[in-house]
Amino acid sequence: GIVEGSFQPFFQPIVHGQTQEIYKYESLIRYIEKDGTEIAPYKFLPIAKKAKLFPTIIRVMLTSVMKTIKEKKIKVAVNVSFDDIMNKETYDFIILTLISNPEESKLLDFEILESEEIKDFDLVRKFIDEVRSYGCDVGVDDFGAGYSNFNMLEALNIDFVKIDGSLIKEIDHLPKQALIVETISQFCNKLGIKTVAEFVSSEEIYKTANGLGINYMQGYHFGKPISYSEL
Protein backbone atom coordinates (compact mmCIF):
# COMPACT_ATOMS: atom_id res chain seq x y z
CA GLY A 1 0.00 0.00 0.00
CA ILE A 2 2.83 2.41 0.81
CA VAL A 3 4.65 1.57 -2.42
CA GLU A 4 1.50 1.82 -4.54
CA GLY A 5 0.25 5.07 -3.01
CA SER A 6 -2.84 3.46 -1.51
CA PHE A 7 -2.70 5.58 1.67
CA GLN A 8 -4.39 8.92 1.10
CA PRO A 9 -5.55 11.77 3.33
CA PHE A 10 -9.24 12.61 3.54
CA PHE A 11 -10.33 15.97 4.94
CA GLN A 12 -13.11 16.70 7.44
CA PRO A 13 -14.18 20.33 7.94
CA ILE A 14 -13.92 22.08 11.30
CA VAL A 15 -16.23 25.08 11.50
CA HIS A 16 -16.36 28.20 13.64
CA GLY A 17 -18.93 27.76 16.41
CA GLN A 18 -20.62 31.11 15.81
CA THR A 19 -20.51 31.58 12.03
CA GLN A 20 -20.52 27.87 11.08
CA GLU A 21 -18.03 28.75 8.33
CA ILE A 22 -15.16 26.34 7.65
CA TYR A 23 -12.07 27.33 9.63
CA LYS A 24 -9.81 24.39 8.75
CA TYR A 25 -9.81 20.66 7.96
CA GLU A 26 -8.50 17.66 9.86
CA SER A 27 -6.58 15.20 7.69
CA LEU A 28 -7.66 11.59 8.25
CA ILE A 29 -5.82 8.71 6.64
CA ARG A 30 -7.62 6.14 4.49
CA TYR A 31 -6.43 3.05 2.64
CA ILE A 32 -7.96 2.98 -0.83
CA GLU A 33 -8.47 -0.44 -2.42
CA LYS A 34 -8.00 -0.90 -6.18
CA ASP A 35 -11.78 -0.88 -6.61
CA GLY A 36 -12.06 2.44 -4.75
CA THR A 37 -13.23 0.98 -1.42
CA GLU A 38 -12.17 3.16 1.54
CA ILE A 39 -10.66 1.29 4.50
CA ALA A 40 -10.86 3.06 7.87
CA PRO A 41 -7.64 3.59 9.87
CA TYR A 42 -8.67 1.47 12.87
CA LYS A 43 -8.31 -1.57 10.60
CA PHE A 44 -4.71 -0.93 9.54
CA LEU A 45 -2.97 1.49 11.93
CA PRO A 46 -2.51 -1.09 14.75
CA ILE A 47 -0.93 -3.45 12.20
CA ALA A 48 1.29 -0.67 10.86
CA LYS A 49 2.42 0.12 14.40
CA LYS A 50 3.32 -3.50 15.16
CA ALA A 51 5.15 -3.77 11.83
CA LYS A 52 7.19 -0.64 12.64
CA LEU A 53 5.72 1.13 9.59
CA PHE A 54 3.95 3.89 11.51
CA PRO A 55 6.72 6.48 10.86
CA THR A 56 6.46 5.78 7.13
CA ILE A 57 2.71 6.43 7.13
CA ILE A 58 3.22 9.72 8.99
CA ARG A 59 5.68 10.80 6.31
CA VAL A 60 3.23 9.90 3.54
CA MET A 61 0.47 11.87 5.27
CA LEU A 62 2.55 14.98 5.96
CA THR A 63 3.88 15.07 2.39
CA SER A 64 0.35 14.72 0.96
CA VAL A 65 -1.08 17.34 3.31
CA MET A 66 1.62 19.86 2.43
CA LYS A 67 0.82 19.32 -1.25
CA THR A 68 -2.87 19.89 -0.51
CA ILE A 69 -2.22 23.09 1.44
CA LYS A 70 -0.05 24.41 -1.39
CA GLU A 71 -2.60 23.67 -4.10
CA LYS A 72 -5.89 24.29 -2.26
CA LYS A 73 -4.74 27.11 0.04
CA ILE A 74 -6.58 25.66 3.07
CA LYS A 75 -5.63 25.25 6.73
CA VAL A 76 -5.14 21.57 7.70
CA ALA A 77 -4.48 19.73 10.98
CA VAL A 78 -2.31 16.58 11.08
CA ASN A 79 -2.25 14.02 13.89
CA VAL A 80 1.05 13.14 15.56
CA SER A 81 1.59 10.75 18.45
CA PHE A 82 4.03 10.89 21.34
CA ASP A 83 5.85 8.01 19.63
CA ASP A 84 6.27 10.17 16.51
CA ILE A 85 7.81 12.96 18.57
CA MET A 86 10.07 10.45 20.35
CA ASN A 87 11.25 9.04 17.02
CA LYS A 88 14.25 11.17 15.96
CA GLU A 89 13.88 10.37 12.26
CA THR A 90 10.20 11.33 12.29
CA TYR A 91 10.89 14.46 14.36
CA ASP A 92 13.64 15.54 11.97
CA PHE A 93 11.45 14.81 8.93
CA ILE A 94 8.68 17.03 10.32
CA ILE A 95 11.07 19.93 10.96
CA LEU A 96 12.74 19.56 7.53
CA THR A 97 9.29 19.58 5.91
CA LEU A 98 8.43 22.84 7.69
CA ILE A 99 11.75 24.41 6.72
CA SER A 100 11.20 23.39 3.09
CA ASN A 101 7.64 24.76 3.00
CA PRO A 102 7.68 28.06 4.92
CA GLU A 103 4.43 29.47 3.51
CA GLU A 104 2.47 26.20 3.76
CA SER A 105 3.67 25.69 7.35
CA LYS A 106 1.65 28.71 8.41
CA LEU A 107 -1.50 26.81 7.41
CA LEU A 108 -0.51 23.56 9.19
CA ASP A 109 -1.68 22.51 12.66
CA PHE A 110 -0.59 19.51 14.71
CA GLU A 111 -2.90 17.49 16.97
CA ILE A 112 -1.04 15.42 19.57
CA LEU A 113 -2.94 12.17 20.05
CA GLU A 114 -4.12 11.39 23.57
CA SER A 115 -3.88 7.62 23.09
CA GLU A 116 -0.57 7.40 24.92
CA GLU A 117 0.80 8.77 28.13
CA ILE A 118 3.34 11.54 27.61
CA LYS A 119 6.49 10.43 29.40
CA ASP A 120 8.79 13.31 28.45
CA PHE A 121 7.10 16.69 28.77
CA ASP A 122 10.34 18.55 28.03
CA LEU A 123 10.64 16.88 24.62
CA VAL A 124 7.00 17.59 23.74
CA ARG A 125 7.37 21.23 24.80
CA LYS A 126 10.49 21.45 22.62
CA PHE A 127 8.53 20.04 19.68
CA ILE A 128 5.66 22.49 20.26
CA ASP A 129 7.98 25.49 20.52
CA GLU A 130 9.92 24.44 17.43
CA VAL A 131 6.95 23.84 15.09
CA ARG A 132 5.25 26.97 16.41
CA SER A 133 8.29 28.99 15.31
CA TYR A 134 7.32 28.04 11.72
CA GLY A 135 3.76 29.29 12.19
CA CYS A 136 2.03 26.05 13.22
CA ASP A 137 -0.57 25.81 15.99
CA VAL A 138 -0.49 22.75 18.25
CA GLY A 139 -3.34 21.10 20.13
CA VAL A 140 -4.23 17.98 22.08
CA ASP A 141 -6.62 15.49 20.49
CA ASP A 142 -9.24 13.35 22.30
CA PHE A 143 -9.09 15.36 25.52
CA GLY A 144 -11.32 13.96 28.26
CA ALA A 145 -10.39 10.34 27.65
CA GLY A 146 -7.29 8.22 28.13
CA TYR A 147 -4.48 10.03 29.92
CA SER A 148 -6.08 13.48 29.91
CA ASN A 149 -5.57 15.84 32.80
CA PHE A 150 -5.89 19.58 33.26
CA ASN A 151 -2.32 19.98 34.43
CA MET A 152 -1.11 18.72 31.06
CA LEU A 153 -2.85 21.59 29.25
CA GLU A 154 -1.00 24.20 31.25
CA ALA A 155 2.30 22.30 31.19
CA LEU A 156 2.40 22.00 27.40
CA ASN A 157 1.32 25.57 26.59
CA ILE A 158 -0.88 24.43 23.69
CA ASP A 159 -3.11 26.46 21.38
CA PHE A 160 -6.27 24.32 21.24
CA VAL A 161 -7.97 21.29 22.76
CA LYS A 162 -10.15 18.83 20.86
CA ILE A 163 -12.70 17.38 23.28
CA ASP A 164 -13.17 13.63 22.90
CA GLY A 165 -16.24 12.56 20.96
CA SER A 166 -17.39 10.25 23.75
CA LEU A 167 -18.14 13.37 25.79
CA ILE A 168 -19.82 15.25 22.94
CA LYS A 169 -22.06 12.77 21.16
CA GLU A 170 -24.79 12.75 23.86
CA ILE A 171 -24.45 16.13 25.56
CA ASP A 172 -27.82 17.24 24.21
CA HIS A 173 -29.59 14.81 26.56
CA LEU A 174 -27.04 13.79 29.22
CA PRO A 175 -26.59 16.67 31.73
CA LYS A 176 -23.53 15.09 33.39
CA GLN A 177 -21.71 14.90 30.04
CA ALA A 178 -22.62 18.53 29.37
CA LEU A 179 -21.25 19.51 32.78
CA ILE A 180 -17.90 17.85 32.03
CA VAL A 181 -17.69 19.60 28.65
CA GLU A 182 -18.62 22.94 30.23
CA THR A 183 -15.87 22.51 32.82
CA ILE A 184 -13.27 21.80 30.13
CA SER A 185 -14.53 24.76 28.10
CA GLN A 186 -14.35 27.20 31.01
CA PHE A 187 -10.91 25.99 32.10
CA CYS A 188 -9.51 26.33 28.57
CA ASN A 189 -11.10 29.75 28.12
CA LYS A 190 -9.36 31.04 31.24
CA LEU A 191 -6.03 29.76 29.90
CA GLY A 192 -6.63 31.27 26.46
CA ILE A 193 -6.87 27.83 24.84
CA LYS A 194 -9.39 27.32 22.01
CA THR A 195 -11.74 24.33 22.14
CA VAL A 196 -12.99 22.00 19.40
CA ALA A 197 -15.93 19.60 19.79
CA GLU A 198 -15.83 16.46 17.63
CA PHE A 199 -18.71 14.05 16.88
CA VAL A 200 -21.13 16.93 16.38
CA SER A 201 -23.71 14.93 14.45
CA SER A 202 -26.93 16.95 14.88
CA GLU A 203 -28.30 20.46 15.26
CA GLU A 204 -29.18 19.70 18.89
CA ILE A 205 -25.62 18.68 19.77
CA TYR A 206 -24.27 21.74 17.95
CA LYS A 207 -26.56 24.12 19.84
CA THR A 208 -25.67 22.53 23.19
CA ALA A 209 -21.92 22.65 22.50
CA ASN A 210 -22.17 26.21 21.25
CA GLY A 211 -24.08 27.20 24.39
CA LEU A 212 -21.29 25.72 26.51
CA GLY A 213 -18.77 28.05 24.88
CA ILE A 214 -17.02 25.62 22.51
CA ASN A 215 -15.16 27.60 19.84
CA TYR A 216 -15.12 25.15 16.91
CA MET A 217 -17.19 22.16 15.77
CA GLN A 218 -16.41 19.01 13.82
CA GLY A 219 -18.73 16.18 12.86
CA TYR A 220 -21.15 14.77 10.31
CA HIS A 221 -23.58 17.63 10.96
CA PHE A 222 -21.10 19.88 9.16
CA GLY A 223 -19.48 17.41 6.80
CA LYS A 224 -18.00 13.95 6.39
CA PRO A 225 -14.34 13.38 5.46
CA ILE A 226 -13.84 13.99 1.74
CA SER A 227 -11.04 13.17 -0.71
CA TYR A 228 -8.55 15.61 -2.19
CA SER A 229 -10.50 15.77 -5.46
CA GLU A 230 -13.71 16.65 -3.59
CA LEU A 231 -12.22 19.61 -1.72
Side-chain angles (χ1 to χ4, degrees), residues 205-224:
I205 293 174
Y206 159 66
K207 287 180 177 178
T208 304
N210 192 46
L212 296 175
I214 304 300
N215 302 113
Y216 300 99
M217 311 288 170
Q218 178 180 0
Y220 281 14
H221 183 58
F222 296 105
K224 295 182 179 181

Side-chain angles (χ1 to χ4, degrees), residues 40-57:
Y42 74 89
K43 290 190 175 182
F44 58 79
L45 286 184
I47 300 169
K49 199 166 186 178
K50 288 180 182 178
K52 309 295 184 186
L53 290 171
F54 210 64
T56 306
I57 291 179

Side-chain angles (χ1 to χ4, degrees), residues 191-206:
L191 289 180
I193 298 171
K194 299 296 184 182
T195 49
V196 183
E198 57 181 5
F199 282 49
V200 179
S201 59
S202 69
E203 181 71 13
E204 292 74 23
I205 293 174
Y206 159 66

Side-chain angles (χ1 to χ4, degrees), residues 89-101:
E89 289 185 6
T90 303
Y91 190 116
D92 290 345
F93 178 81
I94 291 172
I95 300 305
L96 181 60
T97 300
L98 300 182
I99 292 172
S100 304
N101 300 273

Side-chain angles (χ1 to χ4, degrees), residues 39 58 73-74 101 202 212:
I39 307 299
I58 293 297
K73 302 294 188 293
I74 57 173
N101 300 273
S202 69
L212 296 175

